[in-house]
Amino acid sequence: MTGLQDQPEGRDIPEGGDDQAIGVALKRSLLVLTAVLLLIAAGIGIVALLSGEQERILEKHTAAPVPLVADQAILPQLHFTDVTDAAGIDFVHVSGATGEKLLPETMGSGAAFLDVDGDLDQDLLLVNATRWPDDDASAEGQSVLLLNDGSGQFLPSGWDLGDPMYGTGVACGDVDFDGLVDVFIAGLGENRLLRNTGSGFEDHTADLGLGASTGWATSPAFADVDGDGDLDLFICTYIEWTPEKDRDLAFTLNGTDRAYGPPKQYAGMHCVLLRNDGSGHFEDVSDAAGMRVTNAATGVPVGKALAVAPVDLDRDGDMDFIVANDTTRNFLFRNRGDGTFDEVGEASGLAYDAGGMATGAMGIDVAHFANDDRLAVGIGNFANEMTSFYVDSGEGRWFSDEALIEGIGAPTRPQLSFGLLLFDVDLDGRLDLFQTNGHLEEEISQVQPSQSYRQPAQLFWNAGAGRDTTFEIVPPAMAGDLSMPIVGRGAAVADIDGDGDGDLLITQPGESPMLLRNDQATGNHWLRVVLEDPTSSNTAALGAWIECRVGDVTQRRQVQPTRSYLSQVELPVTFGLGLADAVDSLEVIWPDGIRQEVEVEGVDQLLRVQRQSQAQ
């Protein structure tokens, strides 16, 4: 998270000779000078007011950019309807905010779509935070699990998710190999592992092997990192934060009132990797696995991680991790094949934006957006930083930020973006891009007229090849309730009502979430696929690839629910088929590399695919 009051920090000081250091220093100096001149020309100032030992930061007015005009003639009939109340969701997030402006209050909590009871309907888990320990108010937050009745109506489950905690992110996976999805809730000062018994949750936090806390944990993810078939746990951690330090720093927007401070004033933290020993007990292997990335000059942790995307980037059968860091460079942990990792974010091109600067990176998703060999990594960034859209060369090794080229850059620059998802909104066979937006400060418009606290989400329709840009922004008048200004944070997608298209859940700090039903009216066909592997401890086949061919177009999806910001999407994989009423071929590449051809009879269905022992 960054802003006019806190420009992103530069790259780490390299290890090498004096010539290299001088060259890097000169380059930095030129970049800094250019940035300063641009800021002055745009009328943007940064004023730091010091009072005693307290730092005060003042933001000045920013001119609003000129909006782009969408080509409405090519857009399909897309529309989202707010069904939060009608669907039975009466959850209210408790952030703990009482006016002190403590940073965690504005960062929000996530949500997960999961099939907790095995009926193939997508249930909903909403993570809650709680009041601060020194607050004598009676209201406390409680995370909840809601059961889907199959029609998109959600009912209280009665499942106990434990005592109130300051929850942040959530990960779902079968950690004890019984075919039931378990839940890990990350939090501030406390984490929680809940095992699914089929009729409720049991707290198995002690099985994490490191106690309950990793500091300020944000986005977790289950993945098999060492190829042994069981699910390990990756945990993003943010900054070394305490309420005492937050109060002492005395951040401000207008020189008088407190404001939420930037993360640059805090030390970073290392990501955590917990290895499953095969029995459902976890061991901290962060150091040995290569998760500790430090600044070569200072020795302090570089990372300030808010989101992670597990993905086999180079299709070598090993899970890699892309980490979105806030105000410092992004990471790419490339798996060596034995569960240990090299951090190669800078060498891969994923570390910085197109201008060579770190961004206030929040949410993340990765997918084959153009139905070819290329992968794209989308990352939502802070206000006045366009969303990053890194595209590789087709080998999963070298990326360049093509947000401007692909039509995403300019419209996203004014927004403060959190949750980001790539999914096929209109089922035409091409992945679209969705992002939630919302500022940190309720009073931001008083000092920046171009900004607002509540901001509409944005949807970019994938128009395919043959155009100047791949993506076309869907104007608010066409998107329905999706364009309602909110304080967007986490985002998750699932087909809640069985009609094939993806519906959206957006969380808000201190408020109710918004459930948006997808009412697209294209008439396009679809196929949804869910995998089952009774031969492996990884029963849901996380990390498997599914390839669906219709004509000369092959869509590729990886089974991995960890996406967006602090959130999890549904486990079934959706293929939009457009007007095609048949699938030419469907192939599953299981996590161990075994390929299985699947016969598909008919479309517009949810297909359950079980691994066959004779798969080749």
Side-chain angles (χ1 to χ4, degrees):
M1 170 176 68
T2 185
L4 298 177
Q5 79 275 28
D6 175 41
Q7 293 299 316
E9 63 182 273
R11 308 185 183 193
D12 296 337
I13 296 175
E15 297 180 22
D18 293 340
D19 290 343
Q20 183 183 6
I22 292 171
V24 171
L26 178 58
K27 182 178 179 181
R28 287 182 183 170
S29 299
L30 291 174
L31 286 173
V32 171
L33 178 59
T34 302
V36 170
L37 291 175
L38 287 173
L39 290 175
I40 294 174
I44 305 172
I46 302 174
V47 179
L49 303 179
L50 300 178
S51 176
E53 296 182 353
Q54 295 182 336
E55 179 180 3
R56 294 185 175 273
I57 303 168
L58 178 64
E59 295 193 15
K60 291 189 176 180
H61 293 188
T62 305
V66 178
L68 298 181
V69 178
D71 185 357
Q72 299 189 28
I74 69 169
L75 293 174
Q77 294 297 313
L78 303 175
H79 188 85
F80 285 83
T81 304
D82 182 358
V83 295
T84 310
D85 294 335
I89 299 175
D90 61 358
F91 173 89
V92 178
H93 182 262
V94 176
S95 69
T98 59
E100 279 198 284
K101 295 294 184 76
L102 301 178
L103 183 56
E105 301 165 355
T106 195
M107 301 301 287
S109 302
F113 282 113
L114 69 165
D115 180 12
V116 75
D117 49 6
D119 61 359
L120 297 181
D121 300 322
Q122 297 306 308
D123 308 308
L124 176 61
L125 190 151
L126 294 164
V127 178
N128 214 337
T130 188
R131 61 184 176 86
W132 298 112
D134 55 357
D135 182 4
D136 58 3
S138 59
E140 284 194 313
Q142 181 71 53
S143 298
V144 300
L145 174 68
L146 304 175
L147 299 181
N148 191 338
D149 70 357
S151 68
Q153 293 291 309
F154 291 90
L155 307 172
S157 66
W159 290 29
D160 183 12
L161 277 73
D163 295 333
M165 60 177 282
Y166 210 97
T168 53
V170 57
C172 306
D174 181 8
V175 302
D176 51 0
F177 338 126
D178 60 359
L180 301 173
V181 61
D182 308 302
V183 171
F184 175 82
I185 299 177
L188 176 64
E190 178 182 359
N191 299 317
R192 187 169 295 165
L193 178 63
L194 301 170
R195 289 194 176 177
N196 186 344
T197 67
S199 58
F201 286 125
E202 290 182 353
D203 191 332
H204 282 252
T205 305
D207 292 343
L208 289 177
L210 79 166
S213 176
T214 52
W216 186 344
T218 53
S219 294
F222 284 113
D224 180 8
V225 303
D226 49 6
D228 62 356
D230 52 45
L231 294 182
D232 310 298
L233 180 60
F234 183 99
I235 307 174
C236 292
T237 56
Y238 191 31
I239 55 176
E240 291 188 3
W241 176 91
T242 65
E244 293 76 19
K245 181 171 184 178
D246 200 329
R247 294 184 182 106
D248 289 343
L249 287 171
F251 298 101
T252 183
L253 290 174
N254 57 18
T256 303
D257 302 314
R258 269 189 62 86
Y260 292 113
K264 192 174 181 181
Q265 306 302 318
Y266 301 91
M269 297 185 70
H270 294 302
C271 294
V272 174
L273 182 62
L274 305 177
R275 181 164 294 154
N276 193 330
D277 68 2
S279 68
H281 183 273
F282 292 83
E283 176 188 2
D284 187 353
V285 294
S286 307
D287 193 9
M291 294 293 119
R292 303 191 182 279
V293 182
T294 58
N295 186 305
T298 65
V300 302
V302 173
K304 298 179 181 181
L306 286 177
V308 60
V311 59
D312 181 5
L313 279 179
D314 45 13
R315 298 297 292 267
D316 62 356
D318 304 314
M319 293 299 294
D320 311 301
F321 294 96
I322 307 172
V323 176
N325 281 315
D326 189 0
T327 72
T328 188
R329 60 184 173 92
N330 300 319
F331 295 154
L332 168 54
F333 289 106
R334 192 176 294 281
N335 197 326
R336 295 190 182 111
D338 57 1
T340 64
F341 296 82
D342 291 316
E343 198 290 294
V344 294
E346 289 181 307
S348 70
L350 288 168
Y352 307 105
D353 66 9
M357 299 296 291
T359 62
M362 311 289 189
I364 187 172
D365 201 358
V366 55
H368 287 281
F369 76 108
N371 292 331
D372 56 18
D373 290 338
R374 296 176 299 158
L375 275 167
V377 180
I379 296 180
N381 293 316
F382 202 81
N384 303 313
E385 297 173 342
M386 68 181 68
T387 292
S388 299
F389 196 73
Y390 303 96
V391 180
D392 83 331
S393 58
E395 299 177 348
R397 290 189 174 275
W398 298 280
F399 291 79
S400 60
D401 189 349
E402 300 182 3
L404 283 172
I405 298 173
E406 300 295 352
I408 296 168
T412 60
R413 185 184 293 278
Q415 313 302 326
L416 200 167
S417 306
F418 279 86
L420 182 147
L421 293 167
L422 288 160
F423 74 106
D424 189 352
V425 175
D426 58 337
L427 303 174
D428 64 353
R430 300 186 298 269
L431 294 176
D432 312 295
L433 186 144
F434 166 82
Q435 66 178 37
T436 64
N437 302 313
H439 212 281
L440 307 181
E441 297 286 352
E442 293 184 62
E443 302 84 8
I444 188 63
S445 61
Q446 298 176 17
V447 294
Q448 288 193 32
S450 65
Q451 290 292 319
S452 60
Y453 180 54
R454 299 181 183 277
Q455 300 177 2
Q458 291 175 301
L459 177 62
F460 292 84
W461 179 67
N462 189 333
R467 294 179 53 81
D468 291 339
T469 61
T470 299
F471 292 95
E472 192 75 35
I473 190 169
V474 178
M478 297 183 65
D481 293 334
L482 181 143
S483 299
M484 184 182 303
I486 61 172
V487 190
R489 294 295 186 263
V493 62
D495 177 13
I496 64 169
D497 47 12
D499 62 356
D501 54 35
D503 309 294
L504 288 164
L505 189 286
I506 307 173
T507 67
Q508 301 187 83
E511 301 186 29
S512 298
M514 176 181 283
L515 180 63
L516 294 163
R517 187 183 64 215
N518 187 343
D519 291 329
Q520 59 87 23
T522 61
N524 288 331
H525 295 295
W526 48 274
L527 179 69
R528 288 164 52 74
V529 183
V530 61
L531 303 183
E532 301 171 352
D533 187 356
T535 71
S536 170
S537 302
N538 182 6
T539 57
L542 299 190
W545 288 90
I546 308 176
E547 298 184 353
C548 177
R549 182 176 65 83
V550 176
D552 59 356
V553 176
T554 298
Q555 300 178 53
R556 299 172 175 86
R557 307 278 190 272
Q558 186 164 37
V559 180
Q560 178 49 253
T562 297
R563 302 177 186 275
S564 182
Y565 170 76
L566 308 179
S567 301
Q568 299 265 283
V569 305
E570 64 175 348
L571 202 54
V573 171
T574 298
F575 295 99
L577 305 177
L579 299 179
D581 58 4
V583 170
D584 292 319
S585 70
L586 186 75
E587 185 176 35
V588 177
I589 300 93
W590 297 94
D592 60 1
I594 298 296
R595 292 177 173 267
Q596 179 178 339
E597 293 283 348
V598 179
E599 184 176 351
V600 180
E601 298 180 357
V603 296
D604 301 338
Q605 63 163 319
L606 174 63
L607 183 65
R608 300 176 68 172
V609 177
Q610 189 171 91
R611 176 165 178 162
Q612 302 298 320
S613 58
Q614 67 270 22
Q616 299 297 317

